PDB file of all heavy atoms in Angstrom:
ATOM      1  N   GLU I 167      93.443 148.866  83.439  1.00 36.00           N
ATOM      2  CA  GLU I 167      93.087 150.095  84.104  1.00 36.00           C
ATOM      3  C   GLU I 167      92.552 149.647  85.470  1.00 36.00           C
ATOM      4  O   GLU I 167      91.738 148.800  85.612  1.00 36.00           O
ATOM      5  CB  GLU I 167      91.902 150.762  83.335  1.00 36.00           C
ATOM      6  CG  GLU I 167      91.684 152.178  83.880  1.00 36.00           C
ATOM      7  CD  GLU I 167      92.745 153.129  83.604  1.00 36.00           C
ATOM      8  OE1 GLU I 167      93.603 152.797  82.789  1.00 36.00           O
ATOM      9  OE2 GLU I 167      92.717 154.330  84.169  1.00 36.00           O
ATOM     10  N   PRO I 168      93.030 150.363  86.579  1.00 37.00           N
ATOM     11  CA  PRO I 168      92.550 150.010  87.875  1.00 37.00           C
ATOM     12  C   PRO I 168      91.087 150.305  88.119  1.00 37.00           C
ATOM     13  O   PRO I 168      90.460 151.076  87.447  1.00 37.00           O
ATOM     14  CB  PRO I 168      93.424 150.874  88.776  1.00 37.00           C
ATOM     15  CG  PRO I 168      93.780 152.080  88.012  1.00 37.00           C
ATOM     16  CD  PRO I 168      93.898 151.527  86.582  1.00 37.00           C
ATOM     17  N   SER I 169      90.514 149.484  89.020  1.00 38.00           N
ATOM     18  CA  SER I 169      89.138 149.658  89.393  1.00 38.00           C
ATOM     19  C   SER I 169      88.860 151.035  90.095  1.00 38.00           C
ATOM     20  O   SER I 169      89.786 151.551  90.712  1.00 38.00           O
ATOM     21  CB  SER I 169      88.809 148.528  90.350  1.00 38.00           C
ATOM     22  OG  SER I 169      87.528 148.852  90.938  1.00 38.00           O
ATOM     23  N   PRO I 170      87.728 151.599  89.841  1.00 38.00           N
ATOM     24  CA  PRO I 170      87.352 152.824  90.452  1.00 38.00           C
ATOM     25  C   PRO I 170      87.541 152.798  92.021  1.00 38.00           C
ATOM     26  O   PRO I 170      87.615 153.826  92.693  1.00 38.00           O
ATOM     27  CB  PRO I 170      85.845 153.188  90.085  1.00 38.00           C
ATOM     28  CG  PRO I 170      85.786 152.408  88.861  1.00 38.00           C
ATOM     29  CD  PRO I 170      86.620 151.176  88.962  1.00 38.00           C
ATOM     30  N   LYS I 171      87.428 151.615  92.596  1.00 41.00           N
ATOM     31  CA  LYS I 171      87.483 151.469  94.031  1.00 41.00           C
ATOM     32  C   LYS I 171      88.882 151.641  94.509  1.00 41.00           C
ATOM     33  O   LYS I 171      89.215 151.699  95.707  1.00 41.00           O
ATOM     34  CB  LYS I 171      86.996 150.038  94.425  1.00 41.00           C
ATOM     35  CG  LYS I 171      85.469 149.882  94.168  1.00 41.00           C
ATOM     36  CD  LYS I 171      84.992 148.535  94.739  1.00 41.00           C
ATOM     37  CE  LYS I 171      83.532 148.305  94.459  1.00 41.00           C
ATOM     38  NZ  LYS I 171      83.101 147.046  94.890  1.00 41.00           N
ATOM     39  N   VAL I 172      89.886 151.475  93.599  1.00 41.00           N
ATOM     40  CA  VAL I 172      91.309 151.579  93.908  1.00 41.00           C
ATOM     41  C   VAL I 172      91.867 152.931  93.812  1.00 41.00           C
ATOM     42  O   VAL I 172      91.609 153.586  92.735  1.00 41.00           O
ATOM     43  CB  VAL I 172      92.127 150.594  93.063  1.00 41.00           C
ATOM     44  CG1 VAL I 172      93.575 150.734  93.430  1.00 41.00           C
ATOM     45  CG2 VAL I 172      91.669 149.221  93.326  1.00 41.00           C
ATOM     46  N   ALA I 173      92.473 153.556  94.766  1.00 41.00           N
ATOM     47  CA  ALA I 173      92.999 154.883  94.752  1.00 41.00           C
ATOM     48  C   ALA I 173      94.135 155.070  93.666  1.00 41.00           C
ATOM     49  O   ALA I 173      95.035 154.131  93.571  1.00 41.00           O
ATOM     50  CB  ALA I 173      93.517 155.296  96.159  1.00 41.00           C
ATOM     51  N   ILE I 174      94.080 155.994  92.930  1.00 42.00           N
ATOM     52  CA  ILE I 174      95.080 156.293  91.943  1.00 42.00           C
ATOM     53  C   ILE I 174      96.448 156.827  92.639  1.00 42.00           C
ATOM     54  O   ILE I 174      96.327 157.518  93.693  1.00 42.00           O
ATOM     55  CB  ILE I 174      94.688 157.399  90.889  1.00 42.00           C
ATOM     56  CG1 ILE I 174      93.399 156.908  90.269  1.00 42.00           C
ATOM     57  CG2 ILE I 174      95.693 157.638  89.902  1.00 42.00           C
ATOM     58  CD1 ILE I 174      93.417 155.605  89.402  1.00 42.00           C
ATOM     59  N   SER I 175      97.521 156.362  92.167  1.00 48.00           N
ATOM     60  CA  SER I 175      98.789 156.768  92.817  1.00 48.00           C
ATOM     61  C   SER I 175      98.929 158.304  92.906  1.00 48.00           C
ATOM     62  O   SER I 175      98.727 158.985  91.994  1.00 48.00           O
ATOM     63  CB  SER I 175      99.933 156.204  91.956  1.00 48.00           C
ATOM     64  OG  SER I 175     101.211 156.677  92.516  1.00 48.00           O
ATOM     65  N   ASN I 176      99.127 158.729  94.148  1.00 57.00           N
ATOM     66  CA  ASN I 176      99.253 160.143  94.419  1.00 57.00           C
ATOM     67  C   ASN I 176     100.576 160.430  95.049  1.00 57.00           C
ATOM     68  O   ASN I 176     100.793 160.168  96.196  1.00 57.00           O
ATOM     69  CB  ASN I 176      98.114 160.584  95.344  1.00 57.00           C
ATOM     70  CG  ASN I 176      98.147 162.107  95.596  1.00 57.00           C
ATOM     71  OD1 ASN I 176      98.960 162.780  95.003  1.00 57.00           O
ATOM     72  ND2 ASN I 176      97.306 162.459  96.620  1.00 57.00           N
ATOM     73  N   ASP I 177     101.443 161.021  94.259  1.00 67.00           N
ATOM     74  CA  ASP I 177     102.794 161.257  94.782  1.00 67.00           C
ATOM     75  C   ASP I 177     102.980 162.844  95.052  1.00 67.00           C
ATOM     76  O   ASP I 177     104.104 163.306  94.915  1.00 67.00           O
ATOM     77  CB  ASP I 177     103.885 160.763  93.756  1.00 67.00           C
ATOM     78  CG  ASP I 177     103.836 159.247  93.748  1.00 67.00           C
ATOM     79  OD1 ASP I 177     103.611 158.667  94.767  1.00 67.00           O
ATOM     80  OD2 ASP I 177     104.111 158.761  92.684  1.00 67.00           O
ATOM     81  N   ALA I 178     101.899 163.559  95.199  1.00 76.00           N
ATOM     82  CA  ALA I 178     101.977 164.968  95.511  1.00 76.00           C
ATOM     83  C   ALA I 178     102.729 165.233  96.811  1.00 76.00           C
ATOM     84  O   ALA I 178     103.312 166.361  96.995  1.00 76.00           O
ATOM     85  CB  ALA I 178     100.623 165.647  95.680  1.00 76.00           C
ATOM     86  N   TRP I 179     102.829 164.333  97.686  1.00 80.00           N
ATOM     87  CA  TRP I 179     103.579 164.459  98.940  1.00 80.00           C
ATOM     88  C   TRP I 179     105.033 164.761  98.662  1.00 80.00           C
ATOM     89  O   TRP I 179     105.711 165.442  99.438  1.00 80.00           O
ATOM     90  CB  TRP I 179     103.500 163.267  99.875  1.00 80.00           C
ATOM     91  CG  TRP I 179     104.074 162.000  99.279  1.00 80.00           C
ATOM     92  CD1 TRP I 179     103.515 161.026  98.464  1.00 80.00           C
ATOM     93  CD2 TRP I 179     105.396 161.461  99.486  1.00 80.00           C
ATOM     94  NE1 TRP I 179     104.387 160.094  98.189  1.00 80.00           N
ATOM     95  CE2 TRP I 179     105.574 160.356  98.789  1.00 80.00           C
ATOM     96  CE3 TRP I 179     106.419 162.028 100.284  1.00 80.00           C
ATOM     97  CZ2 TRP I 179     106.770 159.664  98.792  1.00 80.00           C
ATOM     98  CZ3 TRP I 179     107.682 161.312 100.344  1.00 80.00           C
ATOM     99  CH2 TRP I 179     107.811 160.128  99.665  1.00 80.00           C
ATOM    100  N   ASN I 180     105.555 164.287  97.558  1.00 77.00           N
ATOM    101  CA  ASN I 180     106.983 164.561  97.227  1.00 77.00           C
ATOM    102  C   ASN I 180     107.278 165.997  97.102  1.00 77.00           C
ATOM    103  O   ASN I 180     108.319 166.526  97.283  1.00 77.00           O
ATOM    104  CB  ASN I 180     107.198 163.884  95.882  1.00 77.00           C
ATOM    105  CG  ASN I 180     107.725 162.408  96.083  1.00 77.00           C
ATOM    106  OD1 ASN I 180     108.575 162.117  96.986  1.00 77.00           O
ATOM    107  ND2 ASN I 180     107.141 161.531  95.397  1.00 77.00           N
ATOM    108  N   HIS I 181     106.202 166.813  96.722  1.00 79.00           N
ATOM    109  CA  HIS I 181     106.353 168.261  96.550  1.00 79.00           C
ATOM    110  C   HIS I 181     106.005 168.985  97.787  1.00 79.00           C
ATOM    111  O   HIS I 181     106.216 170.201  97.863  1.00 79.00           O
ATOM    112  CB  HIS I 181     105.432 168.743  95.411  1.00 79.00           C
ATOM    113  CG  HIS I 181     105.708 167.996  94.049  1.00 79.00           C
ATOM    114  ND1 HIS I 181     106.854 168.150  93.280  1.00 79.00           N
ATOM    115  CD2 HIS I 181     104.928 167.022  93.419  1.00 79.00           C
ATOM    116  CE1 HIS I 181     106.711 167.433  92.269  1.00 79.00           C
ATOM    117  NE2 HIS I 181     105.594 166.697  92.287  1.00 79.00           N
ATOM    118  N   GLN I 182     105.510 168.372  98.804  1.00 83.00           N
ATOM    119  CA  GLN I 182     105.088 169.009  99.992  1.00 83.00           C
ATOM    120  C   GLN I 182     106.084 168.779 101.191  1.00 83.00           C
ATOM    121  O   GLN I 182     106.275 169.627 102.023  1.00 83.00           O
ATOM    122  CB  GLN I 182     103.740 168.438 100.440  1.00 83.00           C
ATOM    123  CG  GLN I 182     102.593 168.810  99.513  1.00 83.00           C
ATOM    124  CD  GLN I 182     101.308 168.100  99.871  1.00 83.00           C
ATOM    125  OE1 GLN I 182     101.246 167.459 100.840  1.00 83.00           O
ATOM    126  NE2 GLN I 182     100.282 168.193  99.047  1.00 83.00           N
ATOM    127  N   ILE I 183     106.663 167.589 101.177  1.00 87.00           N
ATOM    128  CA  ILE I 183     107.591 167.212 102.204  1.00 87.00           C
ATOM    129  C   ILE I 183     108.958 167.956 102.048  1.00 87.00           C
ATOM    130  O   ILE I 183     109.381 168.337 100.949  1.00 87.00           O
ATOM    131  CB  ILE I 183     107.873 165.586 102.271  1.00 87.00           C
ATOM    132  CG1 ILE I 183     108.424 165.174 103.553  1.00 87.00           C
ATOM    133  CG2 ILE I 183     108.686 165.262 101.078  1.00 87.00           C
ATOM    134  CD1 ILE I 183     108.462 163.699 103.742  1.00 87.00           C
ATOM    135  N   GLN I 184     109.637 168.235 103.201  1.00 86.00           N
ATOM    136  CA  GLN I 184     110.797 168.904 103.180  1.00 86.00           C
ATOM    137  C   GLN I 184     111.886 168.233 104.059  1.00 86.00           C
ATOM    138  O   GLN I 184     111.501 167.415 104.878  1.00 86.00           O
ATOM    139  CB  GLN I 184     110.657 170.278 103.756  1.00 86.00           C
ATOM    140  CG  GLN I 184     109.726 171.218 102.971  1.00 86.00           C
ATOM    141  CD  GLN I 184     109.484 172.534 103.607  1.00 86.00           C
ATOM    142  OE1 GLN I 184     109.936 172.812 104.752  1.00 86.00           O
ATOM    143  NE2 GLN I 184     108.839 173.468 102.804  1.00 86.00           N
ATOM    144  N   LEU I 185     113.110 168.422 103.681  1.00 87.00           N
ATOM    145  CA  LEU I 185     114.280 167.899 104.442  1.00 87.00           C
ATOM    146  C   LEU I 185     114.602 168.790 105.592  1.00 87.00           C
ATOM    147  O   LEU I 185     114.134 169.903 105.655  1.00 87.00           O
ATOM    148  CB  LEU I 185     115.536 167.712 103.519  1.00 87.00           C
ATOM    149  CG  LEU I 185     115.444 166.600 102.534  1.00 87.00           C
ATOM    150  CD1 LEU I 185     116.595 166.756 101.601  1.00 87.00           C
ATOM    151  CD2 LEU I 185     115.382 165.225 103.207  1.00 87.00           C
ATOM    152  N   ASP I 186     115.402 168.291 106.521  1.00 86.00           N
ATOM    153  CA  ASP I 186     115.824 169.166 107.623  1.00 86.00           C
ATOM    154  C   ASP I 186     117.070 169.878 107.327  1.00 86.00           C
ATOM    155  O   ASP I 186     118.176 169.510 107.531  1.00 86.00           O
ATOM    156  CB  ASP I 186     116.055 168.236 108.819  1.00 86.00           C
ATOM    157  CG  ASP I 186     116.500 168.976 110.074  1.00 86.00           C
ATOM    158  OD1 ASP I 186     116.276 170.173 110.062  1.00 86.00           O
ATOM    159  OD2 ASP I 186     116.985 168.342 111.018  1.00 86.00           O
ATOM    160  N   ARG I 187     116.875 170.986 106.640  1.00 85.00           N
ATOM    161  CA  ARG I 187     117.978 171.880 106.091  1.00 85.00           C
ATOM    162  C   ARG I 187     118.903 171.027 105.317  1.00 85.00           C
ATOM    163  O   ARG I 187     120.057 171.172 105.498  1.00 85.00           O
ATOM    164  CB  ARG I 187     118.576 172.605 107.323  1.00 85.00           C
ATOM    165  CG  ARG I 187     117.766 173.616 108.063  1.00 85.00           C
ATOM    166  CD  ARG I 187     118.396 174.152 109.231  1.00 85.00           C
ATOM    167  NE  ARG I 187     118.425 173.163 110.306  1.00 85.00           N
ATOM    168  CZ  ARG I 187     118.872 173.414 111.515  1.00 85.00           C
ATOM    169  NH1 ARG I 187     119.250 174.559 111.783  1.00 85.00           N
ATOM    170  NH2 ARG I 187     118.783 172.402 112.441  1.00 85.00           N
ATOM    171  N   GLY I 188     118.349 170.255 104.415  1.00 86.00           N
ATOM    172  CA  GLY I 188     119.221 169.479 103.561  1.00 86.00           C
ATOM    173  C   GLY I 188     119.600 168.076 103.972  1.00 86.00           C
ATOM    174  O   GLY I 188     120.126 167.232 103.291  1.00 86.00           O
ATOM    175  N   SER I 189     119.203 167.788 105.235  1.00 90.00           N
ATOM    176  CA  SER I 189     119.549 166.493 105.872  1.00 90.00           C
ATOM    177  C   SER I 189     118.193 165.649 106.082  1.00 90.00           C
ATOM    178  O   SER I 189     117.094 166.353 106.181  1.00 90.00           O
ATOM    179  CB  SER I 189     120.389 166.618 107.169  1.00 90.00           C
ATOM    180  OG  SER I 189     121.586 167.345 106.862  1.00 90.00           O
ATOM    181  N   LYS I 190     118.354 164.458 106.251  1.00 91.00           N
ATOM    182  CA  LYS I 190     117.171 163.626 106.579  1.00 91.00           C
ATOM    183  C   LYS I 190     116.711 163.883 108.018  1.00 91.00           C
ATOM    184  O   LYS I 190     117.502 164.174 108.907  1.00 91.00           O
ATOM    185  CB  LYS I 190     117.530 162.159 106.348  1.00 91.00           C
ATOM    186  CG  LYS I 190     117.865 161.755 104.973  1.00 91.00           C
ATOM    187  CD  LYS I 190     118.071 160.243 104.893  1.00 91.00           C
ATOM    188  CE  LYS I 190     118.533 159.913 103.419  1.00 91.00           C
ATOM    189  NZ  LYS I 190     118.890 158.499 103.339  1.00 91.00           N
ATOM    190  N   TRP I 191     115.471 163.716 108.219  1.00 90.00           N
ATOM    191  CA  TRP I 191     114.935 163.840 109.541  1.00 90.00           C
ATOM    192  C   TRP I 191     115.280 162.590 110.430  1.00 90.00           C
ATOM    193  O   TRP I 191     115.251 161.465 109.844  1.00 90.00           O
ATOM    194  CB  TRP I 191     113.415 164.037 109.458  1.00 90.00           C
ATOM    195  CG  TRP I 191     112.911 165.238 108.852  1.00 90.00           C
ATOM    196  CD1 TRP I 191     112.373 165.380 107.548  1.00 90.00           C
ATOM    197  CD2 TRP I 191     112.924 166.557 109.272  1.00 90.00           C
ATOM    198  NE1 TRP I 191     111.999 166.621 107.230  1.00 90.00           N
ATOM    199  CE2 TRP I 191     112.318 167.367 108.390  1.00 90.00           C
ATOM    200  CE3 TRP I 191     113.255 167.173 110.579  1.00 90.00           C
ATOM    201  CZ2 TRP I 191     112.139 168.706 108.508  1.00 90.00           C
ATOM    202  CZ3 TRP I 191     113.024 168.494 110.780  1.00 90.00           C
ATOM    203  CH2 TRP I 191     112.467 169.267 109.739  1.00 90.00           C
ATOM    204  N   LEU I 192     115.459 162.855 111.668  1.00 91.00           N
ATOM    205  CA  LEU I 192     115.834 161.702 112.587  1.00 91.00           C
ATOM    206  C   LEU I 192     114.446 161.186 113.092  1.00 91.00           C
ATOM    207  O   LEU I 192     113.733 161.838 113.874  1.00 91.00           O
ATOM    208  CB  LEU I 192     116.718 162.144 113.692  1.00 91.00           C
ATOM    209  CG  LEU I 192     117.029 161.164 114.752  1.00 91.00           C
ATOM    210  CD1 LEU I 192     117.814 159.986 114.025  1.00 91.00           C
ATOM    211  CD2 LEU I 192     117.867 161.602 115.887  1.00 91.00           C
ATOM    212  N   ALA I 193     114.098 159.946 112.658  1.00 91.00           N
ATOM    213  CA  ALA I 193     112.805 159.274 113.066  1.00 91.00           C
ATOM    214  C   ALA I 193     113.068 158.449 114.294  1.00 91.00           C
ATOM    215  O   ALA I 193     114.208 157.984 114.514  1.00 91.00           O
ATOM    216  CB  ALA I 193     112.289 158.482 111.898  1.00 91.00           C
ATOM    217  N   ASN I 194     112.021 158.141 115.137  1.00 90.00           N
ATOM    218  CA  ASN I 194     112.135 157.231 116.281  1.00 90.00           C
ATOM    219  C   ASN I 194     112.312 155.881 115.717  1.00 90.00           C
ATOM    220  O   ASN I 194     111.828 155.516 114.635  1.00 90.00           O
ATOM    221  CB  ASN I 194     111.030 157.471 117.107  1.00 90.00           C
ATOM    222  CG  ASN I 194     109.709 157.036 116.612  1.00 90.00           C
ATOM    223  OD1 ASN I 194     109.305 157.484 115.530  1.00 90.00           O
ATOM    224  ND2 ASN I 194     108.994 156.078 117.162  1.00 90.00           N
ATOM    225  N   ALA I 195     112.966 155.047 116.492  1.00 91.00           N
ATOM    226  CA  ALA I 195     113.280 153.699 116.032  1.00 91.00           C
ATOM    227  C   ALA I 195     112.075 152.860 115.689  1.00 91.00           C
ATOM    228  O   ALA I 195     112.117 152.007 114.831  1.00 91.00           O
ATOM    229  CB  ALA I 195     114.158 152.935 117.107  1.00 91.00           C
TER     230      ALA I 195
END
Side-chain angles (χ1 to χ4, degrees):
E167 190 71 12
S169 166
K171 295 182 180 180
V172 178
I174 303 300
S175 175
N176 180 10
D177 293 325
W179 66 273
N180 275 309
H181 305 291
Q182 299 170 2
I183 196 169
Q184 298 178 350
L185 289 168
D186 183 12
R187 289 173 291 185
S189 302
K190 297 180 181 180
W191 297 101
L192 181 61
N194 64 306

